[in-house]
Amino acid sequence: LPVPPLEKAYDRATARLVALPAPTRDVVRQPDAYALIARRLSRRSYTEASLSQDQLSFLLWATQGVHMVDARRTFSRRTVPSAGARHPYETYVRVARVEGIAPGLYRYLPFTHELLFLDDRPSLREELFVLTDREAWAADAPAFLLWSCVPYRGEWRYYTMSHKSMLLDAGHIAQNLYLAAEALGCGACTLGGYWQEGADRFCGVDGEDE
C-alpha cells in the first residue's frame, strides 16, 4: 500500500502562513529536570496575560518538533516518541492571546515550523466552550491545542496493532506539553472529556480518516 504522507496536504501558494521563531532555550525559566517532574501539575487557572511567540514556538516544538526526515520521506523523528516513527497526529491551535498572532484557528506545520491559518469565525470561543463540556478555563486559555489522529499513518505499518500504539503516542505528546509548559513557568492541563463530533467540526476534520 502507498506510504502515507507525513503531514496533511495544503496549498502553499494560497495558504496564509505564520512563521514561528526558532525554538530557543532562552524562554525556559526552569531548566532543572528533577524540579520539572516534581512540580508538574494540572493547572486550570490562568492570568489574562498573552503568550509570546517564543513561548508558543517552544510548546509546539516540544510536542511535535521534527529532528530528522529520511530521504524517502517515509518517517520522521521528533521530540516525542512514536511507535515505528509513524507520528500519526496533527496539531491544531486555537489562538486567543499570543503576541503578534491574530486570534483564530491554526494548524501547526512541524516540518517548516509554521502555523497555517484555518479560520477566525467569531464563534470559536463558544464552540470550544461547548465541546469541552463548558470548561471556561479551556475556552479562555491563551492557546488551546487539539490533536487529531490520522490512523492510516500507523495502520500502514502495524495494521490493527497500531491503534494501541497510537493511544500511547497521545500520552507522550501530552506529557511533553506538561513539562514544556512547566519549564516556561506557564500552566497547562490536558482534557480528555470532550464532545467528539463537536471537536471534529471545530477542526474541520471528517471524523473517520482523521
Side-chain angles (χ1 to χ4, degrees), residues 67-83:
H67 290 316
M68 65 82 66
V69 182
D70 74 304
R72 296 182 299 161
R73 290 190 68 83
T74 59
F75 71 89
S76 61
R77 292 201 175 99
R78 307 196 190 184
T79 52
V80 291
S82 176

Side-chain angles (χ1 to χ4, degrees), residues 93-107:
V93 189
R94 187 261 175 158
V95 169
R97 297 186 306 282
V98 178
E99 295 171 359
I101 300 179
L105 179 64
Y106 298 82
R107 178 160 61 91

Side-chain angles (χ1 to χ4, degrees), residues 67-160:
H67 290 316
M68 65 82 66
V69 182
D70 74 304
R72 296 182 299 161
R73 290 190 68 83
T74 59
F75 71 89
S76 61
R77 292 201 175 99
R78 307 196 190 184
T79 52
V80 291
S82 176
R86 300 314 309 148
H87 295 289
Y89 286 92
E90 294 284 341
T91 305
Y92 295 84
V93 189
R94 187 261 175 158
V95 169
R97 297 186 306 282
V98 178
E99 295 171 359
I101 300 179
L105 179 64
Y106 298 82
R107 178 160 61 91
Y108 175 52
L109 305 177
F111 295 95
T112 55
H113 197 57
E114 295 172 304
L115 291 176
L116 170 65
F117 172 81
L118 299 176
D119 206 324
D120 60 358
R121 57 188 185 272
S123 61
L124 284 175
R125 191 269 175 196
E126 185 60 26
E127 290 175 48
L128 192 54
F129 182 61
V130 171
L131 73 87
T132 58
D133 198 21
R134 311 180 78 82
E135 296 282 6
W137 62 266
D140 294 328
F144 188 89
L145 279 62
L146 305 93
W147 285 283
S148 69
C149 186
V150 181
Y152 180 56
R153 287 188 202 153
E155 293 167 347
W156 175 79
R157 180 163 183 176
Y158 294 123
Y159 191 46
T160 55

